[in-house]
Amino acid sequence: MHLNFENKTYLIMGVANKRSIAWGIAQELDKAGAKLIFSYSKERSAKGLVKLAADLSDLNKEAPMVKCDVTSDEDITTAVTELKEKVGTLNGIVHSVAFANKDFLGDDYSAVDRASFAQALDISAYSFTAIIRAAKLADLLAENASLLTLTYLGGERVIQNYNLMGIAKAALESSVRYLASEYGPTGVRVNAISAGPIRTLSARGVGNFSESQKMVEERAPLRRVTTVEEVGTTAVFLLSDMASGITGENIHVDSGYHIIGY
Ligand code: NAP
């Protein structure tokens, strides 16, 4: 068995700009020969995507795009209908979407208000379940489709300032296991990548983010921060048939930082 992405199509959700983890994954999938389709929520992201896609291979230079604000059931339904029309079948989905009110990504976790808690859980955790269910119901997922989301160590351990987003990531990681169990009998795999701290637009919202990167450089076994390319190549593996025996897993791509207890 080898990496074969011929005639395989993947939905990439969450490219905000060239620094986005989703963009790193898209570039690696493009290099591997996969066909891509993107979803975006803000018009600004859509405009950026058109420019970024121009640098991809001929297969994906004019990759289709669908609008999907994951807080809207209507958007999800419309996006799935459009995806069905544009590509017919998906061999996988990359869910690289998260949001939390940055007022609660610093200081004391318990300060979080009800609305911000619900919003973070809705966008960062529930949306993965919602898009998968909609895709499955629309018969959009290919046999043996591979579904992937992005998480962070703050979902498993206390990471200073990650607070509200840590709770959302814990829910997301648990969703991965329940979804893997539910869809496994149909051949569909569901996994997460727990990436080390990478400087992106979202990361800028987390208080004292540079400190997290510094700690990785000082203490992680590999003594360096994770790159989007490394997350991208691991994503390619998980989305491929090479990972056919892996589901419900959370693979850490973080220079080994998660094993360290000091
Ligand atoms: P990013 O470039 O800012 O990407 C976040 C994406 O979430 C954006 O494309 C944004 O789209 C999308 N999004 C937010 N609200 C949305 C909504 N309501 N509907 C649809 N999309 C929405 O940041 P990133 O760091 O690459 O984050 C990608 C994923 O990796 C997130 O799950 C994040 O938690 C995770 N992660 C990041 C790190 C890190 O250190 N950077 C580490 C581990 C895990 P719009 O801008 O169009 O709204």
Side-chain angles (χ1 to χ4, degrees), residues 14-17 20-22 40-42 44-45 68-71 96-99 123 150-152 162 169 195-198 200-203 209:
V15 178
N17 57 39
S20 295
I21 292 176
Y40 62 90
S41 77
K42 294 204 184 81
R44 188 189 61 200
S45 304
C68 185
D69 177 339
V70 296
T71 60
S96 188
V97 166
F99 182 83
I123 298 177
L150 272 299
T151 187
Y152 179 55
Y162 203 62
K169 291 304 191 193
I198 296 173
T200 62
L201 195 61
S202 293
F209 173 78

PDB file of all heavy atoms in Angstrom, residues 14-17 20-22 40-42 44-45 68-71 96-99 123 150-152 162 169 195-198 200-203 209, ligand 1:
ATOM      1  N   GLY A  14     -11.168  26.039   7.012  1.00  0.00           N
ATOM      2  CA  GLY A  14     -10.396  26.820   7.986  1.00  0.00           C
ATOM      3  C   GLY A  14      -9.123  27.477   7.473  1.00  0.00           C
ATOM      4  O   GLY A  14      -8.193  27.678   8.246  1.00  0.00           O
ATOM      5  N   VAL A  15      -9.098  27.823   6.173  1.00  0.00           N
ATOM      6  CA  VAL A  15      -7.950  28.619   5.703  1.00  0.00           C
ATOM      7  C   VAL A  15      -8.314  30.096   5.859  1.00  0.00           C
ATOM      8  O   VAL A  15      -9.197  30.597   5.169  1.00  0.00           O
ATOM      9  CB  VAL A  15      -7.602  28.327   4.224  1.00  0.00           C
ATOM     10  CG1 VAL A  15      -6.427  29.217   3.779  1.00  0.00           C
ATOM     11  CG2 VAL A  15      -7.274  26.864   4.005  1.00  0.00           C
ATOM     12  N   ALA A  16      -7.646  30.774   6.789  1.00  0.00           N
ATOM     13  CA  ALA A  16      -7.879  32.218   6.958  1.00  0.00           C
ATOM     14  C   ALA A  16      -6.826  33.000   6.181  1.00  0.00           C
ATOM     15  O   ALA A  16      -7.100  34.056   5.623  1.00  0.00           O
ATOM     16  CB  ALA A  16      -7.828  32.601   8.431  1.00  0.00           C
ATOM     17  N   ASN A  17      -5.609  32.457   6.133  1.00  0.00           N
ATOM     18  CA  ASN A  17      -4.512  33.108   5.406  1.00  0.00           C
ATOM     19  C   ASN A  17      -3.365  32.103   5.218  1.00  0.00           C
ATOM     20  O   ASN A  17      -3.507  30.937   5.590  1.00  0.00           O
ATOM     21  CB  ASN A  17      -4.031  34.383   6.136  1.00  0.00           C
ATOM     22  CG  ASN A  17      -3.589  34.067   7.553  1.00  0.00           C
ATOM     23  OD1 ASN A  17      -2.968  33.030   7.813  1.00  0.00           O
ATOM     24  ND2 ASN A  17      -3.905  34.943   8.477  1.00  0.00           N
ATOM     25  N   SER A  20      -2.319  29.784   8.106  1.00  0.00           N
ATOM     26  CA  SER A  20      -3.277  28.824   8.681  1.00  0.00           C
ATOM     27  C   SER A  20      -2.764  27.391   8.583  1.00  0.00           C
ATOM     28  O   SER A  20      -2.198  26.988   7.550  1.00  0.00           O
ATOM     29  CB  SER A  20      -4.614  28.888   7.939  1.00  0.00           C
ATOM     30  OG  SER A  20      -5.224  30.135   8.127  1.00  0.00           O
ATOM     31  N   ILE A  21      -3.030  26.620   9.625  1.00  0.00           N
ATOM     32  CA  ILE A  21      -2.652  25.205   9.603  1.00  0.00           C
ATOM     33  C   ILE A  21      -3.361  24.507   8.432  1.00  0.00           C
ATOM     34  O   ILE A  21      -2.773  23.669   7.743  1.00  0.00           O
ATOM     35  CB  ILE A  21      -2.985  24.547  10.957  1.00  0.00           C
ATOM     36  CG1 ILE A  21      -2.064  25.125  12.047  1.00  0.00           C
ATOM     37  CG2 ILE A  21      -2.857  23.023  10.876  1.00  0.00           C
ATOM     38  CD1 ILE A  21      -2.338  24.631  13.457  1.00  0.00           C
ATOM     39  N   ALA A  22      -4.607  24.890   8.191  1.00  0.00           N
ATOM     40  CA  ALA A  22      -5.367  24.276   7.079  1.00  0.00           C
ATOM     41  C   ALA A  22      -4.663  24.517   5.744  1.00  0.00           C
ATOM     42  O   ALA A  22      -4.715  23.666   4.851  1.00  0.00           O
ATOM     43  CB  ALA A  22      -6.785  24.843   7.043  1.00  0.00           C
ATOM     44  N   TYR A  40     -15.106  28.388   3.608  1.00  0.00           N
ATOM     45  CA  TYR A  40     -14.672  29.594   4.321  1.00  0.00           C
ATOM     46  C   TYR A  40     -15.881  30.179   5.031  1.00  0.00           C
ATOM     47  O   TYR A  40     -17.020  29.853   4.700  1.00  0.00           O
ATOM     48  CB  TYR A  40     -14.102  30.627   3.326  1.00  0.00           C
ATOM     49  CG  TYR A  40     -15.132  31.088   2.325  1.00  0.00           C
ATOM     50  CD1 TYR A  40     -15.952  32.197   2.577  1.00  0.00           C
ATOM     51  CD2 TYR A  40     -15.345  30.366   1.155  1.00  0.00           C
ATOM     52  CE1 TYR A  40     -16.926  32.573   1.685  1.00  0.00           C
ATOM     53  CE2 TYR A  40     -16.323  30.737   0.263  1.00  0.00           C
ATOM     54  CZ  TYR A  40     -17.116  31.856   0.527  1.00  0.00           C
ATOM     55  OH  TYR A  40     -18.102  32.217  -0.358  1.00  0.00           O
ATOM     56  N   SER A  41     -15.618  31.027   6.026  1.00  0.00           N
ATOM     57  CA  SER A  41     -16.775  31.704   6.630  1.00  0.00           C
ATOM     58  C   SER A  41     -16.768  33.198   6.310  1.00  0.00           C
ATOM     59  O   SER A  41     -17.765  33.736   5.877  1.00  0.00           O
ATOM     60  CB  SER A  41     -16.850  31.446   8.143  1.00  0.00           C
ATOM     61  OG  SER A  41     -15.930  32.203   8.856  1.00  0.00           O
ATOM     62  N   LYS A  42     -15.630  33.843   6.426  1.00  0.00           N
ATOM     63  CA  LYS A  42     -15.589  35.287   6.128  1.00  0.00           C
ATOM     64  C   LYS A  42     -15.238  35.521   4.658  1.00  0.00           C
ATOM     65  O   LYS A  42     -14.411  34.814   4.096  1.00  0.00           O
ATOM     66  CB  LYS A  42     -14.522  35.963   6.994  1.00  0.00           C
ATOM     67  CG  LYS A  42     -14.829  35.951   8.479  1.00  0.00           C
ATOM     68  CD  LYS A  42     -14.083  37.096   9.171  1.00  0.00           C
ATOM     69  CE  LYS A  42     -14.287  37.067  10.656  1.00  0.00           C
ATOM     70  NZ  LYS A  42     -13.405  36.098  11.332  1.00  0.00           N
ATOM     71  N   ARG A  44     -13.474  37.818   3.560  1.00  0.00           N
ATOM     72  CA  ARG A  44     -12.043  38.132   3.516  1.00  0.00           C
ATOM     73  C   ARG A  44     -11.218  36.854   3.300  1.00  0.00           C
ATOM     74  O   ARG A  44     -10.268  36.824   2.532  1.00  0.00           O
ATOM     75  CB  ARG A  44     -11.663  38.795   4.843  1.00  0.00           C
ATOM     76  CG  ARG A  44     -10.279  39.353   4.911  1.00  0.00           C
ATOM     77  CD  ARG A  44      -9.928  39.791   6.309  1.00  0.00           C
ATOM     78  NE  ARG A  44      -9.987  38.653   7.235  1.00  0.00           N
ATOM     79  CZ  ARG A  44     -10.114  38.740   8.548  1.00  0.00           C
ATOM     80  NH1 ARG A  44     -10.227  39.903   9.124  1.00  0.00           N
ATOM     81  NH2 ARG A  44     -10.146  37.674   9.310  1.00  0.00           N
ATOM     82  N   SER A  45     -11.631  35.772   3.983  1.00  0.00           N
ATOM     83  CA  SER A  45     -10.913  34.497   3.822  1.00  0.00           C
ATOM     84  C   SER A  45     -11.090  33.968   2.406  1.00  0.00           C
ATOM     85  O   SER A  45     -10.154  33.412   1.818  1.00  0.00           O
ATOM     86  CB  SER A  45     -11.434  33.456   4.815  1.00  0.00           C
ATOM     87  OG  SER A  45     -11.340  33.928   6.131  1.00  0.00           O
ATOM     88  N   CYS A  68     -19.328  28.458   4.404  1.00  0.00           N
ATOM     89  CA  CYS A  68     -19.887  27.692   5.515  1.00  0.00           C
ATOM     90  C   CYS A  68     -19.475  28.313   6.849  1.00  0.00           C
ATOM     91  O   CYS A  68     -18.405  28.015   7.370  1.00  0.00           O
ATOM     92  CB  CYS A  68     -19.453  26.226   5.430  1.00  0.00           C
ATOM     93  SG  CYS A  68     -20.239  25.222   6.698  1.00  0.00           S
ATOM     94  N   ASP A  69     -20.370  29.144   7.363  1.00  0.00           N
ATOM     95  CA  ASP A  69     -20.187  29.616   8.747  1.00  0.00           C
ATOM     96  C   ASP A  69     -20.774  28.510   9.612  1.00  0.00           C
ATOM     97  O   ASP A  69     -21.986  28.259   9.575  1.00  0.00           O
ATOM     98  CB  ASP A  69     -20.939  30.937   8.946  1.00  0.00           C
ATOM     99  CG  ASP A  69     -20.837  31.426  10.389  1.00  0.00           C
ATOM    100  OD1 ASP A  69     -20.558  30.608  11.291  1.00  0.00           O
ATOM    101  OD2 ASP A  69     -21.058  32.624  10.614  1.00  0.00           O
ATOM    102  N   VAL A  70     -19.931  27.846  10.383  1.00  0.00           N
ATOM    103  CA  VAL A  70     -20.376  26.636  11.090  1.00  0.00           C
ATOM    104  C   VAL A  70     -21.376  26.907  12.222  1.00  0.00           C
ATOM    105  O   VAL A  70     -21.942  25.978  12.779  1.00  0.00           O
ATOM    106  CB  VAL A  70     -19.183  25.805  11.642  1.00  0.00           C
ATOM    107  CG1 VAL A  70     -18.329  25.273  10.505  1.00  0.00           C
ATOM    108  CG2 VAL A  70     -18.358  26.611  12.639  1.00  0.00           C
ATOM    109  N   THR A  71     -21.613  28.184  12.534  1.00  0.00           N
ATOM    110  CA  THR A  71     -22.637  28.473  13.554  1.00  0.00           C
ATOM    111  C   THR A  71     -24.041  28.431  12.952  1.00  0.00           C
ATOM    112  O   THR A  71     -25.020  28.506  13.673  1.00  0.00           O
ATOM    113  CB  THR A  71     -22.439  29.872  14.188  1.00  0.00           C
ATOM    114  OG1 THR A  71     -22.520  30.851  13.154  1.00  0.00           O
ATOM    115  CG2 THR A  71     -21.112  29.982  14.908  1.00  0.00           C
ATOM    116  N   SER A  96     -10.443  22.480  10.449  1.00  0.00           N
ATOM    117  CA  SER A  96      -9.384  23.249  11.116  1.00  0.00           C
ATOM    118  C   SER A  96      -9.993  24.587  11.535  1.00  0.00           C
ATOM    119  O   SER A  96      -9.530  25.658  11.129  1.00  0.00           O
ATOM    120  CB  SER A  96      -8.213  23.417  10.141  1.00  0.00           C
ATOM    121  OG  SER A  96      -7.107  23.974  10.777  1.00  0.00           O
ATOM    122  N   VAL A  97     -11.037  24.473  12.339  1.00  0.00           N
ATOM    123  CA  VAL A  97     -11.891  25.611  12.679  1.00  0.00           C
ATOM    124  C   VAL A  97     -11.999  25.736  14.193  1.00  0.00           C
ATOM    125  O   VAL A  97     -12.227  24.745  14.874  1.00  0.00           O
ATOM    126  CB  VAL A  97     -13.299  25.361  12.075  1.00  0.00           C
ATOM    127  CG1 VAL A  97     -14.327  26.309  12.649  1.00  0.00           C
ATOM    128  CG2 VAL A  97     -13.264  25.434  10.556  1.00  0.00           C
ATOM    129  N   ALA A  98     -11.802  26.931  14.697  1.00  0.00           N
ATOM    130  CA  ALA A  98     -11.981  27.148  16.140  1.00  0.00           C
ATOM    131  C   ALA A  98     -12.176  28.632  16.399  1.00  0.00           C
ATOM    132  O   ALA A  98     -11.715  29.481  15.615  1.00  0.00           O
ATOM    133  CB  ALA A  98     -10.755  26.657  16.910  1.00  0.00           C
ATOM    134  N   PHE A  99     -12.876  28.925  17.477  1.00  0.00           N
ATOM    135  CA  PHE A  99     -13.009  30.316  17.900  1.00  0.00           C
ATOM    136  C   PHE A  99     -13.382  30.366  19.377  1.00  0.00           C
ATOM    137  O   PHE A  99     -14.182  29.567  19.853  1.00  0.00           O
ATOM    138  CB  PHE A  99     -14.097  31.059  17.106  1.00  0.00           C
ATOM    139  CG  PHE A  99     -14.208  32.505  17.513  1.00  0.00           C
ATOM    140  CD1 PHE A  99     -13.359  33.452  16.969  1.00  0.00           C
ATOM    141  CD2 PHE A  99     -15.137  32.897  18.466  1.00  0.00           C
ATOM    142  CE1 PHE A  99     -13.421  34.786  17.376  1.00  0.00           C
ATOM    143  CE2 PHE A  99     -15.204  34.231  18.879  1.00  0.00           C
ATOM    144  CZ  PHE A  99     -14.348  35.170  18.332  1.00  0.00           C
ATOM    145  N   ILE A 123     -18.553  26.534  18.036  1.00  0.00           N
ATOM    146  CA  ILE A 123     -17.694  26.683  16.846  1.00  0.00           C
ATOM    147  C   ILE A 123     -16.536  25.676  16.857  1.00  0.00           C
ATOM    148  O   ILE A 123     -16.203  25.100  15.824  1.00  0.00           O
ATOM    149  CB  ILE A 123     -17.139  28.123  16.754  1.00  0.00           C
ATOM    150  CG1 ILE A 123     -18.296  29.121  16.609  1.00  0.00           C
ATOM    151  CG2 ILE A 123     -16.144  28.255  15.592  1.00  0.00           C
ATOM    152  CD1 ILE A 123     -17.878  30.585  16.570  1.00  0.00           C
ATOM    153  N   LEU A 150      -8.307  19.400  14.225  1.00  0.00           N
ATOM    154  CA  LEU A 150      -7.079  19.917  14.853  1.00  0.00           C
ATOM    155  C   LEU A 150      -7.342  20.261  16.304  1.00  0.00           C
ATOM    156  O   LEU A 150      -8.308  20.956  16.612  1.00  0.00           O
ATOM    157  CB  LEU A 150      -6.633  21.188  14.111  1.00  0.00           C
ATOM    158  CG  LEU A 150      -5.716  21.032  12.896  1.00  0.00           C
ATOM    159  CD1 LEU A 150      -4.394  20.367  13.302  1.00  0.00           C
ATOM    160  CD2 LEU A 150      -6.340  20.230  11.780  1.00  0.00           C
ATOM    161  N   THR A 151      -6.442  19.769  17.179  1.00  0.00           N
ATOM    162  CA  THR A 151      -6.605  20.080  18.582  1.00  0.00           C
ATOM    163  C   THR A 151      -5.274  20.505  19.182  1.00  0.00           C
ATOM    164  O   THR A 151      -4.277  20.648  18.461  1.00  0.00           O
ATOM    165  CB  THR A 151      -7.233  18.863  19.325  1.00  0.00           C
ATOM    166  OG1 THR A 151      -7.537  19.262  20.659  1.00  0.00           O
ATOM    167  CG2 THR A 151      -6.305  17.660  19.336  1.00  0.00           C
ATOM    168  N   TYR A 152      -5.273  20.712  20.498  1.00  0.00           N
ATOM    169  CA  TYR A 152      -4.065  21.207  21.170  1.00  0.00           C
ATOM    170  C   TYR A 152      -3.991  20.586  22.561  1.00  0.00           C
ATOM    171  O   TYR A 152      -5.017  20.254  23.174  1.00  0.00           O
ATOM    172  CB  TYR A 152      -4.111  22.741  21.238  1.00  0.00           C
ATOM    173  CG  TYR A 152      -2.925  23.367  21.931  1.00  0.00           C
ATOM    174  CD1 TYR A 152      -1.630  23.094  21.514  1.00  0.00           C
ATOM    175  CD2 TYR A 152      -3.104  24.236  22.999  1.00  0.00           C
ATOM    176  CE1 TYR A 152      -0.539  23.669  22.160  1.00  0.00           C
ATOM    177  CE2 TYR A 152      -2.023  24.817  23.636  1.00  0.00           C
ATOM    178  CZ  TYR A 152      -0.736  24.522  23.219  1.00  0.00           C
ATOM    179  OH  TYR A 152       0.332  25.081  23.849  1.00  0.00           O
ATOM    180  N   TYR A 162      -4.808  29.126  28.070  1.00  0.00           N
ATOM    181  CA  TYR A 162      -5.606  28.456  27.034  1.00  0.00           C
ATOM    182  C   TYR A 162      -7.061  28.313  27.487  1.00  0.00           C
ATOM    183  O   TYR A 162      -7.984  28.303  26.667  1.00  0.00           O
ATOM    184  CB  TYR A 162      -4.977  27.106  26.681  1.00  0.00           C
ATOM    185  CG  TYR A 162      -5.362  26.613  25.311  1.00  0.00           C
ATOM    186  CD1 TYR A 162      -5.029  27.344  24.169  1.00  0.00           C
ATOM    187  CD2 TYR A 162      -6.053  25.429  25.141  1.00  0.00           C
ATOM    188  CE1 TYR A 162      -5.376  26.900  22.907  1.00  0.00           C
ATOM    189  CE2 TYR A 162      -6.404  24.968  23.884  1.00  0.00           C
ATOM    190  CZ  TYR A 162      -6.062  25.709  22.772  1.00  0.00           C
ATOM    191  OH  TYR A 162      -6.421  25.262  21.523  1.00  0.00           O
ATOM    192  N   LYS A 169     -11.508  22.067  23.370  1.00  0.00           N
ATOM    193  CA  LYS A 169     -10.692  21.012  22.745  1.00  0.00           C
ATOM    194  C   LYS A 169     -10.940  19.663  23.412  1.00  0.00           C
ATOM    195  O   LYS A 169     -10.911  18.622  22.755  1.00  0.00           O
ATOM    196  CB  LYS A 169      -9.202  21.369  22.813  1.00  0.00           C
ATOM    197  CG  LYS A 169      -8.792  22.536  21.928  1.00  0.00           C
ATOM    198  CD  LYS A 169      -9.153  22.329  20.473  1.00  0.00           C
ATOM    199  CE  LYS A 169      -8.523  23.357  19.555  1.00  0.00           C
ATOM    200  NZ  LYS A 169      -9.118  23.345  18.205  1.00  0.00           N
ATOM    201  N   ALA A 195      -1.534  19.646  17.454  1.00  0.00           N
ATOM    202  CA  ALA A 195      -0.349  20.372  16.962  1.00  0.00           C
ATOM    203  C   ALA A 195       0.298  21.184  18.084  1.00  0.00           C
ATOM    204  O   ALA A 195      -0.384  21.668  18.984  1.00  0.00           O
ATOM    205  CB  ALA A 195      -0.773  21.314  15.830  1.00  0.00           C
ATOM    206  N   GLY A 196       1.599  21.320  18.014  1.00  0.00           N
ATOM    207  CA  GLY A 196       2.301  22.213  18.931  1.00  0.00           C
ATOM    208  C   GLY A 196       1.933  23.658  18.608  1.00  0.00           C
ATOM    209  O   GLY A 196       1.290  23.915  17.588  1.00  0.00           O
ATOM    210  N   PRO A 197       2.306  24.612  19.467  1.00  0.00           N
ATOM    211  CA  PRO A 197       1.945  26.011  19.213  1.00  0.00           C
ATOM    212  C   PRO A 197       2.594  26.566  17.942  1.00  0.00           C
ATOM    213  O   PRO A 197       3.807  26.511  17.792  1.00  0.00           O
ATOM    214  CB  PRO A 197       2.447  26.746  20.461  1.00  0.00           C
ATOM    215  CG  PRO A 197       3.388  25.826  21.151  1.00  0.00           C
ATOM    216  CD  PRO A 197       3.065  24.440  20.723  1.00  0.00           C
ATOM    217  N   ILE A 198       1.756  27.063  17.038  1.00  0.00           N
ATOM    218  CA  ILE A 198       2.214  27.604  15.759  1.00  0.00           C
ATOM    219  C   ILE A 198       1.650  29.021  15.631  1.00  0.00           C
ATOM    220  O   ILE A 198       0.459  29.236  15.911  1.00  0.00           O
ATOM    221  CB  ILE A 198       1.704  26.720  14.583  1.00  0.00           C
ATOM    222  CG1 ILE A 198       2.319  25.312  14.671  1.00  0.00           C
ATOM    223  CG2 ILE A 198       2.021  27.353  13.233  1.00  0.00           C
ATOM    224  CD1 ILE A 198       1.777  24.313  13.670  1.00  0.00           C
ATOM    225  N   THR A 200      -0.219  31.591  14.302  1.00  0.00           N
ATOM    226  CA  THR A 200      -1.263  31.849  13.291  1.00  0.00           C
ATOM    227  C   THR A 200      -2.144  32.986  13.804  1.00  0.00           C
ATOM    228  O   THR A 200      -1.980  33.437  14.945  1.00  0.00           O
ATOM    229  CB  THR A 200      -2.161  30.604  13.092  1.00  0.00           C
ATOM    230  OG1 THR A 200      -2.808  30.325  14.333  1.00  0.00           O
ATOM    231  CG2 THR A 200      -1.376  29.389  12.643  1.00  0.00           C
ATOM    232  N   LEU A 201      -3.122  33.361  12.996  1.00  0.00           N
ATOM    233  CA  LEU A 201      -4.055  34.432  13.389  1.00  0.00           C
ATOM    234  C   LEU A 201      -4.761  34.073  14.697  1.00  0.00           C
ATOM    235  O   LEU A 201      -4.821  34.883  15.630  1.00  0.00           O
ATOM    236  CB  LEU A 201      -5.087  34.600  12.261  1.00  0.00           C
ATOM    237  CG  LEU A 201      -5.949  35.852  12.261  1.00  0.00           C
ATOM    238  CD1 LEU A 201      -5.085  37.095  12.133  1.00  0.00           C
ATOM    239  CD2 LEU A 201      -6.954  35.783  11.109  1.00  0.00           C
ATOM    240  N   SER A 202      -5.288  32.854  14.794  1.00  0.00           N
ATOM    241  CA  SER A 202      -6.016  32.436  16.004  1.00  0.00           C
ATOM    242  C   SER A 202      -5.087  32.405  17.209  1.00  0.00           C
ATOM    243  O   SER A 202      -5.476  32.798  18.312  1.00  0.00           O
ATOM    244  CB  SER A 202      -6.604  31.033  15.834  1.00  0.00           C
ATOM    245  OG  SER A 202      -7.592  31.041  14.876  1.00  0.00           O
ATOM    246  N   ALA A 203      -3.858  31.920  17.000  1.00  0.00           N
ATOM    247  CA  ALA A 203      -2.916  31.780  18.117  1.00  0.00           C
ATOM    248  C   ALA A 203      -2.635  33.133  18.759  1.00  0.00           C
ATOM    249  O   ALA A 203      -2.387  33.222  19.964  1.00  0.00           O
ATOM    250  CB  ALA A 203      -1.624  31.136  17.633  1.00  0.00           C
ATOM    251  N   PHE A 209       1.211  33.955  24.102  1.00  0.00           N
ATOM    252  CA  PHE A 209       1.423  32.807  23.213  1.00  0.00           C
ATOM    253  C   PHE A 209       2.918  32.511  23.007  1.00  0.00           C
ATOM    254  O   PHE A 209       3.333  31.344  22.952  1.00  0.00           O
ATOM    255  CB  PHE A 209       0.740  33.071  21.866  1.00  0.00           C
ATOM    256  CG  PHE A 209       1.030  32.031  20.833  1.00  0.00           C
ATOM    257  CD1 PHE A 209       0.384  30.809  20.858  1.00  0.00           C
ATOM    258  CD2 PHE A 209       1.977  32.260  19.840  1.00  0.00           C
ATOM    259  CE1 PHE A 209       0.658  29.838  19.917  1.00  0.00           C
ATOM    260  CE2 PHE A 209       2.256  31.292  18.895  1.00  0.00           C
ATOM    261  CZ  PHE A 209       1.601  30.082  18.934  1.00  0.00           C
TER     262      PHE A 209
HETATM  263  P1  NAP B   1      -6.471  30.306  11.800  1.00  0.00           P
HETATM  264  O1  NAP B   1      -5.576  30.427  10.631  1.00  0.00           O
HETATM  265  O2  NAP B   1      -6.930  31.572  12.430  1.00  0.00           O
HETATM  266  O3  NAP B   1      -7.708  29.381  11.421  1.00  0.00           O
HETATM  267  C1  NAP B   1      -8.892  29.347  12.164  1.00  0.00           C
HETATM  268  C2  NAP B   1     -10.019  29.162  11.201  1.00  0.00           C
HETATM  269  O4  NAP B   1     -11.265  29.010  11.900  1.00  0.00           O
HETATM  270  C3  NAP B   1     -10.193  30.360  10.268  1.00  0.00           C
HETATM  271  O5  NAP B   1     -10.077  29.940   8.925  1.00  0.00           O
HETATM  272  C4  NAP B   1     -11.606  30.849  10.547  1.00  0.00           C
HETATM  273  O6  NAP B   1     -12.283  31.249   9.368  1.00  0.00           O
HETATM  274  C5  NAP B   1     -12.248  29.572  11.067  1.00  0.00           C
HETATM  275  N1  NAP B   1     -13.501  29.881  11.770  1.00  0.00           N
HETATM  276  C6  NAP B   1     -13.658  30.593  12.924  1.00  0.00           C
HETATM  277  N2  NAP B   1     -14.973  30.728  13.179  1.00  0.00           N
HETATM  278  C7  NAP B   1     -15.646  30.084  12.176  1.00  0.00           C
HETATM  279  C8  NAP B   1     -17.009  29.880  11.865  1.00  0.00           C
HETATM  280  N3  NAP B   1     -17.992  30.365  12.655  1.00  0.00           N
HETATM  281  N4  NAP B   1     -17.335  29.160  10.766  1.00  0.00           N
HETATM  282  C9  NAP B   1     -16.369  28.657   9.955  1.00  0.00           C
HETATM  283  N5  NAP B   1     -15.049  28.837  10.175  1.00  0.00           N
HETATM  284  C10 NAP B   1     -14.701  29.547  11.280  1.00  0.00           C
HETATM  285  O7  NAP B   1      -5.747  29.509  12.996  1.00  0.00           O
HETATM  286  P2  NAP B   1      -5.080  28.067  13.078  1.00  0.00           P
HETATM  287  O8  NAP B   1      -4.101  28.172  14.184  1.00  0.00           O
HETATM  288  O9  NAP B   1      -4.645  27.601  11.743  1.00  0.00           O
HETATM  289  O10 NAP B   1      -6.278  27.182  13.634  1.00  0.00           O
HETATM  290  C11 NAP B   1      -6.751  26.018  12.965  1.00  0.00           C
HETATM  291  C12 NAP B   1      -7.059  24.936  13.978  1.00  0.00           C
HETATM  292  O11 NAP B   1      -5.832  24.469  14.557  1.00  0.00           O
HETATM  293  C13 NAP B   1      -7.936  25.372  15.136  1.00  0.00           C
HETATM  294  O12 NAP B   1      -8.804  24.321  15.513  1.00  0.00           O
HETATM  295  C14 NAP B   1      -6.905  25.591  16.242  1.00  0.00           C
HETATM  296  O13 NAP B   1      -7.471  25.521  17.547  1.00  0.00           O
HETATM  297  C15 NAP B   1      -5.987  24.438  15.952  1.00  0.00           C
HETATM  298  N6  NAP B   1      -4.671  24.492  16.580  1.00  0.00           N
HETATM  299  C16 NAP B   1      -3.883  25.581  16.455  1.00  0.00           C
HETATM  300  C17 NAP B   1      -2.654  25.619  17.050  1.00  0.00           C
HETATM  301  C18 NAP B   1      -1.744  26.827  16.950  1.00  0.00           C
HETATM  302  O14 NAP B   1      -0.847  26.978  17.776  1.00  0.00           O
HETATM  303  N7  NAP B   1      -1.946  27.693  15.954  1.00  0.00           N
HETATM  304  C19 NAP B   1      -2.184  24.514  17.805  1.00  0.00           C
HETATM  305  C20 NAP B   1      -3.003  23.390  17.915  1.00  0.00           C
HETATM  306  C21 NAP B   1      -4.259  23.403  17.297  1.00  0.00           C
HETATM  307  P3  NAP B   1     -12.689  32.785   9.114  1.00  0.00           P
HETATM  308  O15 NAP B   1     -11.478  33.608   9.447  1.00  0.00           O
HETATM  309  O16 NAP B   1     -13.094  32.808   7.679  1.00  0.00           O
HETATM  310  O17 NAP B   1     -13.831  33.041  10.068  1.00  0.00           O
END
